[in-house]
Amino acid sequence: MSKNLIVANWKSHKSVDETQQFFSRIAEVKNELQYANTEIVICPSFIGLEIAKRICSEHSLPIKIGSQNVSAYSEGAYTGEVAASQLSQIVKYIIIGHSERRNNFGDTEETIQEKIQQAKNENLSVILCVQGPDTPVYEGVDVIAYEPLSAIGTGNPDTPENVTTVLQTLHERSPQSLLLYGGSVDKNSIHSFLTIELLSGFLVGGASLDPDTFIHLVSACETRNSY
Ligand code: PGA
């Protein structure tokens, strides 16, 4: 079985101090995170990226840092935007096409393609969020996260049967991409998805904000390899 991947999407949560507290807690229990088969990516908001990266380096934490967004433009006169070249010193992954960005910030299929291109220019791995089996997927996408709208932040995850069907279609359309599920994944719901063969892991929002809960989810992911 290939490596698992768990991605924490913190959205607009946590100050710099709270980001530091989270990673300091992880550093205290880092032995619990030495999983051979699960890659861990944490995506704080922009203000937390630098301190997150610094603490991970200082404590040799087995965690990669990701960004929740990227500018569709390269470095230059684009007020309020953060370019892929600026992010590339800190992050390895970029989330693109989350439904919250599509619905609230006008990310269109065109801007999504531009963002993917910007990320690939810097050799960053792209996690593309798709809302269903027919959402367009583009060249350069390394990871596809299936996140049905009805499941995001609702406490109402999709059924394992439906996730299996959707992942089959996504796999046929993009056989080289890793496939994740996201939407109300927590300590209870995670177990129902662990046996889905095409699934490589999870994109977790709310349940990734508490360090101990997040570690629990990472451990659950790791048990997949013994199924
Ligand atoms: P949730 O969010 O886990 O809080 O449902 C998932 C996401 O939107 O990434």
Side-chain angles (χ1 to χ4, degrees), residues 160 185-196 199 202 216-217 219-221 223-224 227:
V185 172
D186 62 18
K187 281 183 180 183
N188 299 320
S189 66
I190 195 167
H191 295 282
S192 62
F193 301 108
L194 292 173
T195 52
I196 299 175
L199 188 79
F202 300 93
H216 186 100
L217 297 179
S219 324
C221 251
T223 63
R224 268 192 85 221
Y227 276 82

Side-chain angles (χ1 to χ4, degrees), residues 48-124:
L49 291 176
E50 200 274 332
I51 190 136
K53 170 78 173 173
R54 185 141 42 92
I55 301 176
C56 288
S57 301
E58 277 167 12
H59 294 274
S60 303
L61 301 182
I63 295 174
K64 296 200 166 73
I65 304 301
S67 169
Q68 300 171 22
N69 188 25
V70 64
S71 175
Y73 299 91
S74 48
E75 191 170 339
Y78 300 104
T79 301
E81 290 293 295
V82 183
S85 57
Q86 296 175 284
L87 289 167
S88 64
Q89 243 189 327
I90 299 182
V91 311
K92 292 268 177 276
Y93 286 85
I94 302 211
I95 298 173
I96 296 176
H98 193 285
S99 57
E100 288 156 10
R101 293 218 55 87
R102 294 176 192 256
N103 296 339
N104 301 321
F105 303 102
D107 281 16
T108 61
E109 291 305 331
E110 196 182 346
T111 48
I112 286 167
Q113 288 176 77
E114 283 160 357
K115 289 179 179 197
I116 293 172
Q117 191 53 53
Q118 292 296 330
K120 296 323 285 184
N121 289 348
E122 299 298 328
N123 288 323
L124 300 171

Side-chain angles (χ1 to χ4, degrees), residues 9 11 98 100 147 151-154 182-185 203-207:
N9 174 16
K11 310 188 181 187
H98 193 285
E100 288 156 10
E147 298 206 302
I152 295 179
T154 59
S184 298
V185 172
L203 180 56
V204 187

